[in-house]
Amino acid sequence: MPAYKDSKTGKWYTSFYYTNWNGVREKKMKRGFETKKAALEWERDFLMKSQANLDMRFDSFVELYIEDLQHRIKENTFKTKNSVINSKIIPFFKNKKLSEITVKDVIKWQNELLAYEDEDGDPFSQTYLKQMHNQLTAIFNHAVRYYDLKENPATKAGPIGEKEAGEIVFWTKEEYLKFAETLMHKPKSYYAFEILYWCGIRMGELLALTPEDFDFEKGILRINKSYQRIDKRDVITPPKTKKSNRIIKMPELLCEEVKEYINMLYGIKPTDRIFLISKSFLHHEMTRGSEAAGVKRIKVHALRHSHVSLLIDMGFSAVAIAARVGHESIDITYRYAHLFPTTQTEMADKLSTIRKGDEENVKENCNRIQTFNYPYVSAWRSRGSSHVL
């Protein structure tokens, strides 16, 4: 494993042959190292990586993980994963050998995250803590599944953070109507929020909508794609999940509104996007409209929660709601149950009524039993029996 010094630059480089995964012998050269030791370390780590040797450094394995993963997931998902990996995971583990990372190392990393505070004294959110830990777990799972790592130290260390941090904030129908009234002089904003609220779709799904997604005769909207802005590029992807491919029946008034809006768009083609706006634009309009209407500020995504809460309040089942919004029914059952604290009170009141009736029946039955058995009980007691009747 030789290393060489470049007489012109004064820096070190390494040049060697190796056998790739296809069994083909290739030459590899890497320049620009400040020291001979750094050049040799890079060569040694490269050879371990090419052979999938678990003694490679953690950051080298992450390169393999990313190569294996990036063509199997959506671009925006990959971008999010990569950001977490590079900023929150690699800086801590990068110099450690993959095979030597222990449960104690993971716990130490977790403790650093839990102790973190930004310049305002705020810690990481519970959801972000969970996201970071899940990503580390996914990296080690990949090593276990495909590269024969013995066990996953992140799984043994246990999770941190929570999936849902606190209760979901949402609008009642009355609050939404006050908000919508402030936008009526801005058609683009008004119609965008009308679709978000009355159909319960995601922002990415809204921004991907085209005229051909609507069938106004049948009153339906087809959701089959999502819009993302990635690296200054407009990217259309499949929806978030398989369940997200769905057909939504629109309220009659909304059909008329959307039809009117599309007719306002001069020269629009069936496959053109009808909302050429950004997510930041929607956030800005949410802030402006909330202040003007005098209602609490919620996130744009919370309009989806507001739609679900409205449907629950109208008495629709979790299965029906899940099909409309592209969720699993069990998610609706557990995720949104807390949106209606009064429901719990109503349940308790009804249970109390039923229980009260049962208690009266029990007392009546006990009195009957005691009256019926009274002569036998007296005779039994007079004999001094210690047995329970």
Side-chain angles (χ1 to χ4, degrees), residues 261-376:
Y261 171 68
I262 292 177
N263 288 336
M264 293 166 53
L265 304 176
Y266 177 76
I268 191 167
K269 298 176 183 177
T271 56
D272 289 344
R273 290 171 50 223
I274 65 174
F275 291 110
L276 300 178
I277 55 179
S278 65
K279 291 182 179 181
S280 62
F281 172 84
L282 291 172
H283 288 299
H284 172 76
E285 288 295 87
M286 178 66 87
T287 300
R288 187 184 64 79
S290 299
E291 292 176 354
V295 296
K296 61 179 178 289
R297 169 67 161 88
I298 63 173
K299 296 179 179 179
V300 177
H301 185 74
L303 287 174
R304 183 168 161 85
H305 302 316
S306 303
H307 181 71
V308 171
S309 72
L310 177 63
L311 296 178
I312 294 174
D313 200 35
M314 293 171 68
F316 291 102
S317 69
V319 173
I321 296 172
R324 184 173 178 84
V325 300
H327 265 309
E328 296 289 343
S329 58
I330 193 169
D331 292 334
I332 298 296
T333 302
Y334 288 104
R335 190 176 187 187
Y336 294 97
H338 66 283
L339 292 180
F340 299 99
T342 56
T343 301
Q344 292 291 337
T345 302
E346 291 171 8
M347 287 179 182
D349 291 343
K350 289 182 179 180
L351 289 170
S352 295
T353 301
I354 294 172
R355 179 60 177 162
K356 185 177 179 180
D358 288 342
E359 286 178 353
E360 291 176 355
N361 290 334
V362 168
K363 288 179 181 178
E364 184 177 347
N365 289 334
C366 286
N367 290 334
R368 288 176 182 174
I369 292 170
Q370 288 176 5
T371 302
F372 178 78
N373 289 323
Y374 180 76
Y376 305 100

Side-chain angles (χ1 to χ4, degrees), residues 166-355:
E167 291 191 0
I168 297 172
V169 179
F170 65 99
W171 275 342
T172 63
K173 184 186 70 174
E174 290 70 27
E175 287 174 314
Y176 170 72
L177 292 176
K178 287 181 182 179
F179 165 80
E181 189 175 352
T182 69
L183 302 178
M184 295 189 74
H185 66 291
K186 299 183 70 174
K188 187 181 298 183
S189 300
Y190 174 75
Y191 293 119
F193 281 104
E194 280 285 274
I195 296 173
L196 285 172
Y197 180 75
W198 294 108
C199 292
I201 66 176
R202 301 176 177 91
M203 271 193 290
E205 295 169 347
L206 171 82
L207 298 180
L209 291 177
T210 63
E212 69 178 6
D213 294 325
F214 296 89
D215 185 333
F216 294 113
E217 289 186 7
K218 296 180 179 179
I220 61 175
L221 166 61
R222 295 181 182 86
I223 301 297
N224 54 23
K225 54 189 173 297
S226 183
Y227 167 87
Q228 303 290 335
R229 182 73 176 172
I230 302 174
D231 296 331
K232 300 181 180 180
R233 295 179 293 113
D234 293 332
V235 179
I236 301 296
T237 68
K240 186 175 182 180
T241 64
K242 289 182 179 180
K243 279 271 188 181
S244 298
N245 279 286
R246 61 200 189 277
I247 293 177
I248 299 173
K249 185 74 174 178
M250 296 184 294
E252 187 175 336
L253 179 59
L254 182 63
C255 280
E256 296 300 322
E257 288 182 332
V258 177
K259 188 175 181 179
E260 177 184 337
Y261 171 68
I262 292 177
N263 288 336
M264 293 166 53
L265 304 176
Y266 177 76
I268 191 167
K269 298 176 183 177
T271 56
D272 289 344
R273 290 171 50 223
I274 65 174
F275 291 110
L276 300 178
I277 55 179
S278 65
K279 291 182 179 181
S280 62
F281 172 84
L282 291 172
H283 288 299
H284 172 76
E285 288 295 87
M286 178 66 87
T287 300
R288 187 184 64 79
S290 299
E291 292 176 354
V295 296
K296 61 179 178 289
R297 169 67 161 88
I298 63 173
K299 296 179 179 179
V300 177
H301 185 74
L303 287 174
R304 183 168 161 85
H305 302 316
S306 303
H307 181 71
V308 171
S309 72
L310 177 63
L311 296 178
I312 294 174
D313 200 35
M314 293 171 68
F316 291 102
S317 69
V319 173
I321 296 172
R324 184 173 178 84
V325 300
H327 265 309
E328 296 289 343
S329 58
I330 193 169
D331 292 334
I332 298 296
T333 302
Y334 288 104
R335 190 176 187 187
Y336 294 97
H338 66 283
L339 292 180
F340 299 99
T342 56
T343 301
Q344 292 291 337
T345 302
E346 291 171 8
M347 287 179 182
D349 291 343
K350 289 182 179 180
L351 289 170
S352 295
T353 301
I354 294 172
R355 179 60 177 162

Side-chain angles (χ1 to χ4, degrees), residues 131-193:
Q131 180 185 1
M132 289 185 285
H133 182 268
N134 286 350
Q135 183 54 68
L136 181 64
T137 302
I139 292 171
F140 282 118
N141 277 341
H142 195 76
V144 170
R145 187 174 302 158
Y146 300 110
Y147 295 92
D148 298 323
L149 184 67
K150 185 177 179 181
E151 61 182 8
N152 186 331
T155 299
K156 292 189 71 174
I160 55 173
E162 298 176 6
K163 185 176 181 180
E164 292 292 341
E167 291 191 0
I168 297 172
V169 179
F170 65 99
W171 275 342
T172 63
K173 184 186 70 174
E174 290 70 27
E175 287 174 314
Y176 170 72
L177 292 176
K178 287 181 182 179
F179 165 80
E181 189 175 352
T182 69
L183 302 178
M184 295 189 74
H185 66 291
K186 299 183 70 174
K188 187 181 298 183
S189 300
Y190 174 75
Y191 293 119
F193 281 104

Side-chain angles (χ1 to χ4, degrees), residues 10-123:
K11 293 189 176 182
W12 291 82
Y13 69 94
T14 179
S15 178
F16 56 92
Y17 285 90
Y18 75 102
T19 302
N20 66 23
W21 286 9
N22 295 320
V24 178
R25 192 166 174 77
E26 294 183 358
K27 185 176 182 178
K28 184 72 176 180
M29 178 182 288
K30 178 73 172 178
R31 297 179 179 273
F33 297 101
E34 296 293 337
T35 65
K36 180 178 181 180
K37 180 180 179 182
L40 292 174
E41 284 182 352
W42 186 90
E43 179 182 345
R44 181 169 56 253
D45 205 54
F46 177 87
L47 291 172
M48 288 182 177
K49 178 183 171 184
S50 67
Q51 299 163 10
N53 189 312
L54 293 178
D55 283 337
M56 75 178 84
R57 293 194 337 175
F58 178 83
D59 56 349
S60 293
F61 178 76
V62 168
E63 291 179 17
L64 285 179
Y65 169 76
I66 289 173
E67 288 174 10
D68 292 344
L69 193 70
Q70 63 180 338
H71 300 300
R72 304 185 182 194
I73 59 177
K74 287 192 252 183
E75 186 176 357
N76 57 309
T77 303
F78 172 76
K79 191 176 180 68
T80 301
K81 279 178 167 287
N82 216 20
S83 174
V84 171
I85 290 169
N86 289 325
S87 62
K88 301 299 186 297
I89 297 177
I90 284 183
F92 186 90
F93 294 103
K94 66 178 181 180
N95 294 321
K96 299 179 182 293
K97 291 182 179 180
L98 180 67
S99 60
E100 294 180 354
I101 296 176
T102 65
V103 176
K104 290 182 179 180
D105 293 324
V106 175
I107 291 174
K108 185 177 179 182
W109 171 73
Q110 290 177 336
N111 288 338
E112 286 194 8
L113 298 179
L114 292 167
Y116 170 83
E117 292 183 352
D118 63 17
E119 57 186 15
D120 296 322
D122 296 324

